[in-house]
Amino acid sequence: MTATNTQDILRKLPGVDSLLELAKTDTATEEIPPRVLKTAIRQTLERLRSRIRKGDTANVSPDNCLATALAMARKVLKPKLVPCINATGVVLHTNLGRALLCDDALSNITTIASGYSNLEFNIETGKRGIRYAAVEDLLCELTGAEAAMAVNNNAGAVLLCLDTLANGREVIVSRGELVEIGGSFRIPDVMAKSGGILKEVGATNRTHLKDYETAITDETAMLLKVHTSNYRIQGFTKSVSLPELAALGKERKVQVMEDLGSGTLIDFSKYGLAKEPTVSDSVASGADIVTFSGDKLLGGPQTGIIVGKRAAIEKIKTNPLTRALRIDKLTLASLESTLRLYRNEAEAVEKIPTLRMLSQSFEQTKKRAEPLLQEIQERVKASAVVEYADLSSRTGGGAFPELALPSRCIAISPLAMSAAHLEKRMRMNTPAIIGRIDNNRFIIDPRTLQQGDTQTIADALATILLENKR
Ligand SMILES: *Cc1c(COP(=O)(O)O)cnc(C)c1O
């Protein structure tokens, strides 16, 4: 295209005002807020202009420009945080929002958020109350701790505890426990931010009690144990247990803290999972402070729970950082409702989605896979081979890293497209359906499916696989 040609086309490009006038005659623009429409028109013209300058040909008719702007505006107006179907079998999928809240928590959020509450008001005295009062007694009851509180998340809890108890002083940590959790939580970095001075002891695979003993000086504030949530060191290994550390801390008068990561209130070994130390075990071992997440194995809202000795917790409560990390009433409402269920373990396992999904036996996944297979086979007809695949689900969220939960899955091998393409199309569906690929097959794991998901998945598969055949 010649320079004059480019100038000619640019001159033909309609103006913002004329397109806004044109929009008034189009009923399709009625549901679009004027400011969104105006921005979309501006950006559309901007893009067309730069394409024309590059020498591209472009349809600059007013109707076409407006249609492009409308499509852009509709895209902008779509909600960005949207529900997804988790067909991955990863129960605590951090990218997909970790724990699903139980019904009690959901209805309590609505109750508390839609009206006033005693969030920081003591009804008996008529004076200002304490935010944590709603959960402190419950947490103490369930873990055996003297005192408890909760902040924004466990990363915040660890930062806050270190800042309060070890700022400017040494914190001794085993080299085998300097973990990184997905999303840039690294013990050395959090330590640096808190002002604690990291003193590494032992070797990557082995740390002995005497390593801690000889490292303690007048500058030592704390012995920190970090749960190696998302990995295991295997082979010739040795680590020091929390009770041993707590005894040493007591003898040498330094605080002992454990970052439990996931932290569970029930013994999962009863449900066929690995034995994980419970929060009560950690508290009973004599640690001054134990921190854990609310939205990992606990199955509640995102929060960081801090339990332990009263003296330490009282200090933490008065740290100005606590105000910056405080939890909101929605979290508090759902945390209280979730914790209340733990008073009766059977009820907790039945009603808390995370516990229910994790405790599902292979037999139960077989029962859930059956109607799923039938429905899918019926809908996709001959466009794909649909069969059972006995694979395994994962806990996720850095809990039980090596544990495979046997699960009967559905494997789909499309005839007219690759499994990778099907995976992408399912992901781009509304709602997004997130599965995985195994051996060139698209895998759907029933463990993490919720009510109504079967229908949505079958509909999406039928649309994608059958339309592509035509
Ligand atoms: C997950 C985890 C954290 C971070 O917890 P969040 O609640 O995600 O902030 C910290 N430490 C350990 C050991 C963890 O597993």
Side-chain angles (χ1 to χ4, degrees):
M1 209 159 40
T2 65
T4 36
N5 221 340
T6 303
Q7 287 306 321
D8 278 350
I9 301 176
L10 278 176
R11 229 172 278 126
K12 281 193 197 123
L13 206 59
V16 175
D17 289 336
S18 74
L19 286 180
L20 280 172
E21 280 306 311
L22 180 62
K24 282 184 192 156
T25 66
D26 188 342
T27 51
T29 64
E30 273 167 14
E31 83 272 23
I32 299 173
R35 52 182 287 174
V36 176
L37 184 61
K38 200 165 172 181
T39 308
I41 288 176
R42 270 213 194 97
Q43 285 179 352
T44 301
L45 293 175
E46 203 74 45
R47 279 183 203 176
L48 280 170
R49 223 171 271 128
S50 82
R51 272 178 52 198
I52 296 164
R53 285 207 190 96
K54 276 194 209 125
D56 285 0
T57 50
N59 180 348
V60 296
S61 75
D63 283 338
N64 190 61
C65 292
L66 184 60
T68 310
L70 278 181
M72 187 188 276
R74 288 206 184 90
K75 207 170 159 195
V76 168
L77 287 174
K78 273 196 187 150
K80 301 294 184 287
L81 184 61
V82 292
C84 293
I85 290 180
N86 179 2
T88 64
V90 180
V91 178
L92 293 167
H93 200 302
T94 298
N95 299 156
L96 299 182
R98 278 201 193 151
L100 309 189
L101 295 179
C102 58
D103 291 339
D104 291 17
L106 293 172
S107 68
N108 200 25
I109 287 176
T110 310
T111 307
I112 295 300
S114 55
Y116 294 105
S117 64
N118 62 337
L119 179 64
E120 281 191 1
F121 183 73
N122 184 325
I123 292 173
E124 278 164 32
T125 63
K127 302 232 168 71
R128 188 189 173 131
I130 296 162
R131 188 171 282 251
Y132 314 105
V135 291
E136 179 158 18
D137 289 350
L138 246 175
L139 282 167
C140 292
E141 175 194 322
L142 295 169
T143 66
E146 289 174 8
M149 61 187 287
V151 292
N152 183 55
N153 58 12
N154 187 34
V158 173
L159 175 72
L160 176 64
C161 294
L162 292 174
D163 181 82
T164 312
L165 305 172
N167 197 332
R169 303 183 63 208
E170 286 174 1
V171 179
I172 302 177
V173 189
S174 160
R175 285 203 168 84
E177 296 175 4
L178 296 173
V179 307
E180 172 181 309
I181 311 294
S184 73
F185 173 90
R186 295 173 127 188
I187 288 293
D189 298 346
V190 174
M191 187 75 72
K193 273 282 168 209
S194 74
I197 300 160
L198 175 63
K199 193 162 183 184
E200 301 173 26
V201 294
T204 305
N205 58 333
R206 289 172 71 85
T207 303
H208 305 270
L209 189 61
K210 69 170 189 304
D211 294 325
Y212 289 93
E213 270 171 349
T214 52
I216 296 176
T217 67
D218 290 346
E219 287 308 305
T220 307
M222 179 189 281
L223 309 178
L224 172 66
K225 187 162 179 69
V226 183
H227 193 274
T228 54
S229 315
N230 51 5
Y231 68 99
R232 287 268 182 280
I233 296 178
Q234 283 179 325
F236 186 53
T237 65
K238 166 90 178 79
S239 64
V240 180
S241 71
L242 189 64
E244 288 173 283
L245 277 191
L248 177 62
K250 195 168 176 195
E251 183 196 319
R252 304 287 295 270
K253 297 200 165 44
V254 293
Q255 319 232 29
V256 174
M257 166 169 153
E258 179 171 46
D259 170 11
L260 248 188
S262 220
T264 159
L265 298 179
I266 65 173
D267 177 3
F268 272 97
S269 64
K270 283 190 224 161
Y271 303 95
L273 283 90
K275 168 93 183 139
E276 275 279 302
T278 63
V279 178
S280 305
D281 291 339
S282 294
V283 169
S285 73
D288 297 277
I289 290 289
V290 179
T291 74
F292 57 103
S293 289
D295 57 350
K296 289 186 180 171
L297 288 178
L298 189 77
Q302 177 194 302
T303 178
I305 298 170
I306 307 172
V307 299
K309 300 268 168 68
R310 185 172 311 281
I313 300 268
E314 288 309 320
K315 264 192 220 152
I316 295 165
K317 279 182 181 165
T318 58
N319 185 334
L321 244 192
T322 301
R323 174 64 178 77
L325 293 168
R326 82 177 182 190
I327 54 170
D328 72 318
K329 60 186 177 184
L330 309 190
T331 307
L332 207 51
S334 55
L335 181 60
E336 183 184 5
S337 297
T338 307
L339 289 173
R340 282 163 61 89
L341 291 175
Y342 277 98
R343 285 184 163 140
N344 177 343
E345 189 175 310
E347 206 184 350
V349 172
E350 185 196 318
K351 291 190 172 168
I352 296 173
T354 300
L355 303 187
R356 194 169 58 218
M357 288 187 265
L358 285 174
S359 60
Q360 226 172 88
S361 66
F362 179 61
E363 285 306 312
Q364 284 169 311
T365 66
K366 268 165 84 173
K367 277 205 197 89
R368 299 189 63 204
E370 219 175 277
L372 187 60
L373 180 96
Q374 271 171 14
E375 180 73 20
I376 294 173
Q377 266 177 344
E378 218 164 88
R379 299 290 307 281
V380 308
K381 304 198 173 72
S383 64
V385 177
V386 183
E387 60 198 337
Y388 290 127
D390 290 345
L391 301 166
S392 46
S393 327
R394 303 237 160 230
T395 309
F400 302 121
E402 289 167 313
L403 187 73
L405 307 165
S407 208
R408 172 151 292 178
C409 302
I410 311 295
I412 300 159
S413 313
L415 301 187
M417 68 175 77
S418 67
H421 185 69
L422 176 60
E423 184 275 335
K424 183 175 175 198
R425 292 289 306 272
M426 292 293 274
R427 185 157 33 86
M428 302 302 286
N429 186 67
T430 306
I433 299 165
I434 317 296
R436 67 182 200 268
I437 305 263
D438 178 275
N439 254 325
N440 268 323
R441 299 171 304 175
F442 180 67
I443 306 293
I444 295 168
D445 190 328
R447 183 181 299 273
T448 44
L449 297 185
Q450 309 301 311
Q451 192 108 55
D453 286 355
T454 296
Q455 204 55 50
T456 314
I457 290 172
D459 286 348
L461 283 168
T463 307
I464 295 165
L465 293 170
L466 295 176
E467 118 197 326
N468 236 70
K469 276 202 100 186
R470 259 186 259 122

